[in-house]
């Protein structure tokens, strides 16, 4: 049985300009190349869960504009069921600059994402949230959840909930209000640690890859850890799979285009 995951989160259209080096304030750097890529942590994690074999529903808000069609394309292609609120605000947009070394600057206009509030959940095994939507939406998802509640606490801000599984990176850890339950701490190229009520229970390093773009590595990691645990895999195996999924995303350009399938994770771990 495919695990049923409901994602309550953000949908953005990423407007990406690749340049040789990032401009200083007040400076213009020319010669870039441009792409429009579906993004938003919520949408990225919904697409990742679907590619990894889950049956996914996404609850989100978009605007009545043409950016919505582009922003939803990746979710539609991945077979995610969409429960959308149409807002008077514009579809969320992220302006991303990427330099030759993969370093980024990102400015986000959340638009419709900031309007998401009370949600009603369909039947599920797990609910997955991030912090690119208002507290009201995350709190209502948490209250309504009947299965595993997973929070990727990014971008970090304190929120008074008690997830079954929390995923953070080093920068986000300090702002966690609750550190009980399962907490996965990601460490970039060094991999990740899994803590249960503060005690380390597993540690994994990703297979070595040539990293070209860290965008969505955390999204691939979070989705793979949750789906692997829902599939009944042991915690150390689930963590190793999540690290491999993050490494695959870091080895490819873009957000949603870089997210791996379950077969790709299996192949990397077998190699
Ligand atoms: P975030 O993007 O949320 O800050 P991390 O950078 O910690 O998250 O990346 C999430 C996971 O992706 C890591 O735990 C690791 O498994 C994998 N990963 C990230 N960067 C690399 C890299 N350069 N090489 C291999 N794996 C990576």
């Amino acid at each position: 049985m495919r695990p049923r995951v409901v994602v309550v989160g953000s949908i953005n259209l990423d407007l990406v300009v690749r340049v040789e080096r990032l401009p200083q304030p007040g400076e213009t750097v020319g010669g870039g190349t441009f792409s429009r890529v579906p993004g938003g942590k919520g949408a990225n994690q919904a697409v990742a869960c679907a590619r990894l074999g889950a049956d996914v529903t996404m609850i989100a808000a978009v605007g009545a504009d043409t950016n919505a069609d582009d922003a939803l394309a990746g979710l539609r292609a991945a077979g995610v069921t969409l429960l959308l609120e149409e807002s008077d605000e514009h579809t969320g947009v992220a302006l991303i600059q990427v330099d030759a070394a993969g370093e980024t600057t990102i400015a986000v206009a959340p638009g419709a994402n900031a309007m998401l509030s009370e949600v009603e959940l369909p039947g599920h095994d797990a609910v997955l949230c991030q912090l690119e939507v208002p507290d009201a939406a995350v709190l209502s998802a948490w209250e309504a959840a009947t299965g595993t509640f997973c929070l990727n606490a990014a971008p970090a801000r304190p929120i008074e909930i008690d997830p079954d599984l929390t995923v953070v990176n080093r920068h986000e850890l300090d702002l966690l209000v609750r550190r009980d339950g399962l907490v996965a701490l990601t460490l970039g190229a060094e991999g990740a640690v899994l803590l249960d009520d503060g005690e380390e229970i597993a540690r994994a390093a990703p297979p070595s890859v040539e990293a070209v773009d860290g965008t969505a590595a955390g999204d691939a990691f979070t989705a793979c850890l949750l789906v692997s645990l829902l599939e009944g895999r042991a915690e150390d195996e689930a963590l190793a799979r999540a690290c491999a999924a993050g490494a695959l995303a870091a080895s490819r350009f873009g957000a949603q285009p870089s997210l791996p399938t379950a077969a790709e994770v299996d192949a990397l771990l077998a190699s």
Side-chain angles (χ1 to χ4, degrees):
M1 277 278 282
R2 292 173 359 132
R4 294 167 308 160
V5 177
V6 176
V7 179
V8 177
S10 58
I11 295 178
N12 287 335
L13 183 64
D14 291 352
L15 303 177
V16 186
V17 174
R18 296 190 170 277
V19 273
E20 194 51 36
R21 61 180 180 83
L22 299 177
Q24 300 297 314
E27 188 192 12
T28 301
V29 172
T33 57
F34 174 63
S35 47
R36 298 160 68 87
V37 188
K41 285 182 192 297
N44 294 348
Q45 292 179 23
V47 168
C49 287
R51 290 204 185 138
L52 291 162
D55 180 346
V56 185
T57 299
M58 170 138 205
I59 300 177
V62 293
D65 49 29
T66 50
N67 281 350
D69 295 329
D70 291 343
L72 293 169
L75 289 156
R76 292 197 164 117
V80 172
T81 302
L82 296 171
L83 296 179
L84 298 176
E85 231 172 74
E86 196 176 278
S87 163
D88 293 337
E89 291 287 330
H90 62 83
T91 298
V93 170
L95 291 183
I96 304 180
Q97 306 178 92
V98 190
D99 74 8
E103 199 61 51
T104 56
T105 63
I106 305 179
V108 176
N113 294 307
M115 299 294 116
L116 196 66
S117 57
E118 300 270 301
V119 295
E120 278 179 36
L121 303 178
H124 57 269
D125 300 306
V127 176
L128 171 58
C129 291
Q130 313 75 27
L131 296 179
E132 280 189 338
V133 292
D135 281 6
V138 178
L139 289 167
S140 104
W142 179 58
E143 277 158 16
T146 53
T148 302
F149 186 85
C150 176
L151 177 70
N152 173 213
R157 67 168 182 264
I159 181 166
E160 281 285 348
I161 59 173
D162 192 8
D164 302 297
L165 172 63
T166 307
V167 180
V168 285
N169 67 20
R170 277 185 269 226
H171 311 292
E172 292 147 2
L173 181 68
D174 289 342
L175 284 181
L176 270 194
V177 176
R178 303 285 183 89
R179 294 186 186 189
D180 42 6
L182 278 182
V183 175
L185 172 64
T186 66
L187 305 167
E190 288 164 46
V193 182
L194 190 62
L195 309 161
D196 190 0
D197 288 339
E199 296 250 328
E200 180 174 327
I201 58 166
R203 182 175 281 262
S208 130
V209 294
E210 195 189 329
V212 294
D213 178 1
T215 316
D219 296 329
F221 176 96
T222 300
C224 192
L225 182 62
L226 176 63
V227 171
S228 299
L229 291 171
L230 291 171
E231 287 169 341
R233 297 179 196 266
E235 277 125 354
D236 53 351
E237 187 195 352
L239 192 70
R241 291 181 71 76
C243 282
L248 282 165
S251 72
R252 301 167 179 167
F253 285 110
Q256 288 173 25
S258 77
L259 298 166
T261 62
E264 289 169 331
V265 172
D266 290 338
L268 180 61
L269 287 171
S271 68

